Amino acid sequence: MVKLLNLKVKDEVYEILSNCKGIIMPEKRLDFVDLSLGGKNNMVFEVKYEVEGKGEVVEVIVTRCKNGIVVNYTDVYMRRRDPDSLIIGDDGETDKQRYKDIYGDNFEAVRKETFEWLKKQELIVYGFYAGGKEHGYPALVIAPANAAFFGFALADIQGFIPKSEFEKIDVFEPKAVIYVAPPFRHTHFNGKQVVVHNRLNGVHEIFSYNLYPGPSAKKGVYGVLLNIGEMEGWVAAHASTVRIVTPYDNVITIMHEGASGGGKSEMCQQMHREKDNRVLLGENIITKEKIYLEIKESCEIHPVTDDIALVHPSLQKGSKMVVKDAEQGWFVRLDNIPHYGTDPQLERLCIHPPEPLIFLNLEGVPGSTCLIWEHTMDEPGKPCPNPRVILPRRFIPNIVDEPVEVDIRSFGVRTPPCTKQKPTYGIIGMFHLLPPALAWLWRLVSPRGHANPSITQAEALSSEGVGSYWPFATGLMVKQANLLLEQILQFTKTQYILIPNQHIGAYKVGFMPQWITREYLAKRGNVKLRPDQLKPAKLPLLGWALEYMKVEGTYIPKFLLQVDLQQEVGEESYMEGAKILTEFFKKEIIKFKTLDLHPLGRKIIECCLDDGSLDDYVSLIK
């Protein structure tokens, strides 16, 4: 039995660790590989549990491949994050659904049942630092040993403290504890992905009642950071960050925010090219016309963060935001890799990694190489939209470990096609420049957007909630709105832009707008856009549209900058789309108009509700 004499936890945690069937505390990352497969010689391992009333339930099949382990869920529903998985188990301040309101009883009884179940298991136990060792907070994982793949995923995303190092720590007092009890999904929660956050004095408990790492191992820990930030007065941004180095050694840093599927991971990826090295800018969905660009020499991409940017007060030193990665590994979606040669750098890293990787929702044949374009089928002919790989930061080329100053904050939105036959909100041009007041509004509303591959959802336009991180937060949305506004007011030298992905009007564009915009802005350096280059968008919520945009000597067609100019769209359909967005904004922002809202925030919201002009928004924050 592992002795955890330096662990300072509540008595009930000691009871679990003292009475369980055994404790495994990994020493090195590669230990997790064999543990995930139930032994060194196993090629396939079923993660299964005896469930009262159902018998034996196989949750996951883990396969050993040459380049890592491949995780496949037997339940199609478990292959994506349920956006409503978070439930509050305590009585603290919250705008989220509480356990007792849903289930009619206090959480305490199920909490104790969970502890009793864990006492009957062999356990994997290890410590980590939520947010990173330098600026983060000590945390502990307690999970059944047969779900070691889950512990592996969490260790890759959050980091872990090896057994020998843990034993040298004088006192380890976790501020967060993650408990994993998969059978409860069936016995207590009707098969749903449920993660209960129980905020006690001094410790934030996360009860993960499912084995998909998104809601707990990743977003659950994010919820811990948001809760601490809410108490301490700072925000962990839902953002990727990339430092871009041009062929002429200009350097610019962009932080890209947005709801799940909004292009955060893609901002850190290389631009996709055709076989002849051209760039396919877009394809008209009606005429099938394709628009190509010649970009001879791309900028170097130096990734900083993939999903969670720590904007800790100790990092700040001026009028530009300074961020550092809050994670040790990245949960990268692979739905945009449909075939070999799409992203050579990512393919090379996944096929020949320095150490075995964890793949999810991909086809895994024992002993073969897992290929990231071979996605698991949800049903015949329908590939899972959420294939993933977890990439430890240290494996990623040109990774930036030190804190960086942010020059531009962009916001990504998944947009549907917009045509005269079917007007939609797909009216955002290649990119738009936003004044700070509008940048705050977009973060308040955070549209989840069209065909989100990351989560289970309906097709209608919906909101990810304040900051685009609201599904993971446990506190009060108005407090988060105020923190975001204060952040914008603090960092006065930051520029804000809005970037669509998937469609610009009638053109299918994928993530090309953000790759082209990234290239364009970097090669300009920190030179601001000239007034003659900008034109107020027909919809004030979209800030300024571009009059022209020249990339590598080629002008981007103006109808990709101003969607109303597309013959397949026209002004009337554009205005229909503008109406959809306007009504959506008004519906979403009204709930923030409370007595606790920052006075300036109230003015910005009133400006929107009163159909204010772009000049009105500009005048609110100068």
Side-chain angles (χ1 to χ4, degrees):
M1 176 74 78
V2 175
K3 299 292 184 184
L4 301 173
L5 301 177
N6 57 348
L7 192 59
K8 187 175 180 182
V9 290
K10 292 180 179 293
D11 290 344
E12 50 205 355
V13 180
Y14 272 123
E15 285 180 23
I16 295 170
L17 301 179
S18 301
N19 293 293
C20 68
K21 287 186 175 179
I23 294 174
I24 300 168
M25 181 172 269
E27 173 61 30
K28 54 187 184 294
R29 180 179 178 273
L30 291 178
D31 291 345
F32 283 104
V33 177
D34 292 333
L35 288 169
S36 298
L37 283 144
K40 284 188 176 182
N41 299 319
N42 290 346
M43 298 302 288
V44 178
F45 181 69
E46 291 183 343
V47 180
K48 55 191 177 184
Y49 300 93
E50 198 64 36
V51 176
E52 189 178 342
K54 284 195 166 194
E56 188 178 83
V57 174
V58 178
E59 291 278 1
V60 168
I61 298 171
V62 184
T63 305
R64 189 192 298 267
C65 288
K66 289 179 181 176
N67 50 338
I69 65 167
V70 182
V71 174
N72 275 293
Y73 297 87
T74 57
D75 184 348
V76 171
Y77 159 75
M78 286 300 301
R79 296 173 184 172
R80 289 192 276 177
R81 177 173 61 83
D82 189 324
D84 299 318
S85 58
L86 187 150
I87 297 173
I88 302 297
D90 58 72
D91 294 321
E93 285 188 333
T94 188
D95 285 324
K96 287 297 180 66
Q97 52 186 356
R98 294 185 191 271
Y99 183 91
K100 64 182 178 183
D101 295 332
I102 300 170
Y103 299 103
D105 200 359
N106 288 327
F107 175 61
E108 187 59 27
V110 177
R111 179 175 180 267
K112 287 179 177 173
E113 279 186 65
T114 307
F115 291 167
E116 290 304 312
W117 184 83
L118 287 167
K119 287 177 189 176
K120 298 172 185 173
Q121 313 303 315
E122 184 180 26
L123 300 174
I124 281 187
V125 178
Y126 61 84
F128 68 96
Y129 292 96
K133 188 172 182 179
E134 191 176 350
H135 302 282
Y137 305 83
L140 189 72
V141 180
I142 300 175
N146 75 328
F149 85 88
F150 182 94
F152 190 7
L154 197 151
D156 262 5
I157 293 169
Q158 305 296 343
F160 79 102
I161 303 170
K163 179 176 179 283
S164 58
E165 287 185 26
F166 189 88
E167 289 171 345
K168 294 175 186 175
I169 299 171
D170 290 335
V171 177
F172 190 82
E173 184 176 5
K175 300 298 180 190
V177 181
I178 299 177
Y179 303 96
V180 183
F184 283 60
R185 177 166 86 93
H186 304 286
T187 56
H188 292 68
F189 304 112
N190 198 29
K192 293 293 184 185
Q193 287 179 29
V194 168
V195 178
V196 179
H197 286 246
N198 196 41
R199 301 163 299 173
L200 305 177
N201 285 335
V203 62
H204 187 138
E205 296 181 334
I206 299 173
F207 291 84
S208 180
Y209 293 119
N210 71 91
L211 287 174
Y212 182 57
S216 45
K218 183 170 177 59
K219 303 306 189 184
V221 175
Y222 192 2
V224 170
L225 293 175
L226 289 168
N227 182 52
I228 292 170
E230 192 168 310
M231 293 187 290
E232 296 181 354
W234 57 275
V235 170
H238 193 205
S240 64
T241 312
V242 62
R243 178 188 282 167
I244 305 148
V245 182
T246 73
Y248 323 108
D249 293 327
N250 288 333
V251 178
I252 192 168
T253 301
I254 298 177
M255 187 170 91
H256 185 72
E257 296 161 90
S260 298
K264 293 183 295 298
S265 290
E266 287 77 10
M267 185 58 90
C268 294
Q269 293 177 10
Q270 295 290 337
M271 181 186 300
H272 292 183
R273 292 176 179 268
E274 302 296 288
K275 288 180 181 177
D276 61 6
N277 210 39
R278 289 185 300 170
V279 172
L280 176 58
L281 184 54
E283 178 180 358
N284 191 300
I285 63 169
I286 296 172
T287 66
K288 304 304 178 185
E289 171 208 5
K290 293 183 178 181
I291 300 173
Y292 292 94
L293 273 180
E294 295 274 0
I295 297 181
K296 291 186 175 64
E297 194 172 3
S298 295
C299 297
E300 286 183 22
I301 306 304
H302 295 197
V304 184
T305 77
D306 174 69
D307 190 62
I308 309 174
L310 204 64
V311 194
H312 200 274
S314 62
L315 295 170
Q316 309 314 314
K317 55 186 180 182
S319 53
K320 283 186 180 179
M321 176 188 290
V322 177
V323 302
K324 195 174 192 302
D325 202 347
E327 300 179 296
Q328 301 304 307
W330 296 354
F331 198 39
V332 178
R333 199 178 59 251
L334 301 169
D335 65 305
N336 65 338
I337 311 290
H339 52 73
Y340 168 75
T342 306
D343 188 331
Q345 180 174 290
L346 182 60
E347 292 163 26
R348 192 180 308 116
L349 180 57
C350 291
I351 291 171
H352 303 292
E355 294 175 20
L357 299 174
I358 313 166
F359 302 95
L360 291 86
N361 306 325
L362 291 167
E363 291 184 9
V365 177
S368 70
T369 299
C370 176
L371 302 174
I372 61 175
W373 54 87
E374 293 184 350
H375 308 157
T376 296
M377 291 292 165
D378 280 355
E379 58 186 67
K382 185 180 178 184
C384 173
N386 193 37
R388 297 271 184 168
V389 63
I390 300 174
L391 294 175
R393 292 184 89 257
R394 59 194 175 89
F395 293 178
I396 298 168
N398 296 321
I399 197 75
V400 178
D401 291 319
E402 68 270 14
V404 298
E405 278 192 344
V406 175
D407 299 302
I408 295 169
R409 284 178 76 172
S410 63
F411 195 91
V413 186
R414 294 184 76 88
T415 44
C418 176
T419 63
K420 289 176 181 176
Q421 290 72 32
K422 191 177 179 182
T424 69
Y425 59 93
I427 60 171
I428 304 171
M430 184 68 65
F431 81 88
H432 290 250
L433 186 68
L434 298 178
L438 273 179
W440 179 69
L441 268 190
W442 275 94
R443 283 157 182 78
L444 221 57
V445 172
S446 297
R448 195 173 278 152
H450 167 74
N452 190 318
S454 303
I455 60 174
T456 60
Q457 67 158 47
E459 275 301 297
L461 181 59
S462 58
S463 170
E464 192 91 317
V466 59
S468 80
Y469 52 66
W470 181 241
F472 333 127
T474 58
L476 300 174
M477 61 183 184
V478 170
K479 274 193 178 179
Q480 291 296 328
N482 289 341
L483 286 170
L484 283 170
L485 182 55
E486 287 159 11
Q487 193 181 72
I488 284 172
L489 293 171
Q490 179 182 356
F491 302 117
T492 53
K493 288 191 176 176
T494 301
Q495 292 187 67
Y496 298 91
I497 61 175
L498 179 69
I499 307 178
N501 67 67
Q502 304 315 308
H503 299 89
I504 297 177
Y507 285 81
K508 182 171 176 54
V509 293
F511 292 97
M512 201 54 72
Q514 63 192 58
W515 293 329
I516 296 295
T517 298
R518 182 181 70 186
E519 197 82 10
Y520 172 72
L521 292 174
K523 287 177 177 175
R524 286 177 57 90
N526 271 319
V527 179
K528 289 199 172 185
L529 296 166
R530 295 195 303 273
D532 69 317
Q533 197 173 351
L534 299 171
K535 173 186 179 181
K538 283 184 160 50
L539 173 61
L541 289 172
L542 298 182
W544 291 279
L546 296 186
E547 284 280 41
Y548 59 89
M549 180 179 178
K550 193 176 184 182
V551 179
E552 298 273 316
T554 302
Y555 284 99
I556 302 294
K558 195 168 181 178
F559 55 73
L560 290 179
L561 309 177
Q562 299 174 26
V563 176
D564 56 297
L565 299 179
Q566 288 183 25
Q567 137 178 9
E568 296 83 4
V569 180
E571 186 164 349
E572 188 176 333
S573 295
Y574 176 98
M575 295 313 294
E576 283 289 316
K579 185 180 177 184
I580 293 169
L581 270 179
T582 301
E583 289 177 353
F584 175 70
F585 265 69
K586 288 181 178 182
K587 176 174 71 77
E588 292 297 329
I589 63 175
I590 194 70
K591 59 193 170 197
F592 292 97
K593 199 176 173 184
T594 70
L595 292 174
D596 295 326
L597 184 65
H598 191 296
L600 177 57
R602 179 178 291 272
K603 288 181 181 176
I604 296 170
I605 285 176
E606 285 171 351
C607 183
C608 180
L609 294 173
D610 293 339
D611 296 313
S613 68
L614 181 55
D615 286 342
D616 292 331
Y617 287 112
V618 171
S619 68
L620 288 168
I621 301 178
K622 291 187 177 178

